[in-house]
Amino acid sequence: AQKVTQAQTEISVVEKEDVTLDCVYETRDTTYYLFWYKQPPSGELVFLIRRNSFDEQNEISGRYSWNFQKSTSSFNFTITASQVVDSAVYFCALRLGNNNDMRFGAGTRLTVKP
Amino acid sequence: DAGVIQSPRHEVTEMGQEVTLRCKPISGHDYLFWYRQTMMRGLELLIYFNNNVPIDDSGMPEDRFSAKMPNASFSTLKIQPSEPRDSAVYFCASTARWGANSNQPQHFGDGTRLSIL
C-alpha cells in the first residue's frame, strides 16, 4: 500500500520568513517516485519537482529546496524568504515504480502575508 | 509549447443535465488522466488512457460517468445525468511516459470547476 501524509493542513507566515512543508510517505517498494505540485489560488496544478527513490541528493532551485530522507520516509519542501506569490496549496505525491497509480497527499495551504 | 488545455473553465448546470468536459493533452504525450478534486476526498484519479485506449477506469464513481479519447489530441469526460454531489474541480493531465519505472511527471490543465445545482 502507498500513502502520503501532509500533516500540516494550513501554515501562515509573514513575508520573508522561511517555511518548511512536511511530507511523509509510506511504501514497501524500493523503487518509487516523489513529486511536489503547487496549486495557486487560480486553481491550476503546477509541477515543481520529482525525486527518484535511488537519488537522495537534495535539490535547490532558487528559493525552493527539497530534503529527501529515506531513513525517515520524508520529502520536505522549504521555501526561503517567502513571498506573497508563494501563497498556494502544495501537494506531495507518491508513485510506485511498478504501479500506475499516483497518490496525492491532502495538501498544505500556505498563506504568506505581506 | 502549449500545456494541457481544458474547457470550459467553469460550468454551472442544473441537476439532471448532461455535462461534457473537454481536454487537449500536450502534443506527443501518450498518456492522459482525468482527476476529480473535492474538499472531502482531495485529488482522485478517475480514469487514464494510453494511446487513446482506456487502461484503468476503476476510479470512475458510477455508470453516470464516461470518458472517451477518440484521437491523440482530444478527450471528453461526460456525466449523464449530473447530480449535485458531482460538483468538484475536474483536472486533465498528460505525460509522455507512464510505464513501469518511468519518473515522468504529469502535467495538469487548469481544471474545470463544475457546479451542479
Side-chain angles (χ1 to χ4, degrees), chain A residues 39 42-45, chain B residues 4-6 9 89-92 108-113:
Chain A
Q39 187 173 38
S42 48
E44 70 272 24
L45 275 162
Chain B
V4 176
I5 299 173
Q6 290 186 245
R9 285 298 310 273
V89 180
Y90 290 81
F91 286 99
C92 177
F108 286 77
D110 290 346
T112 295
R113 184 173 296 276

Side-chain angles (χ1 to χ4, degrees), chain B residues 5 18 21 24 27 41 43-44 46 59 61 76 79 86 104:
Chain B
I5 299 173
E18 178 179 290
L21 311 182
K24 177 180 169 56
S27 178
R41 300 173 69 91
L43 271 161
E44 303 173 280
L46 301 177
T76 59
I79 309 172
D86 302 331
Q104 294 299 304

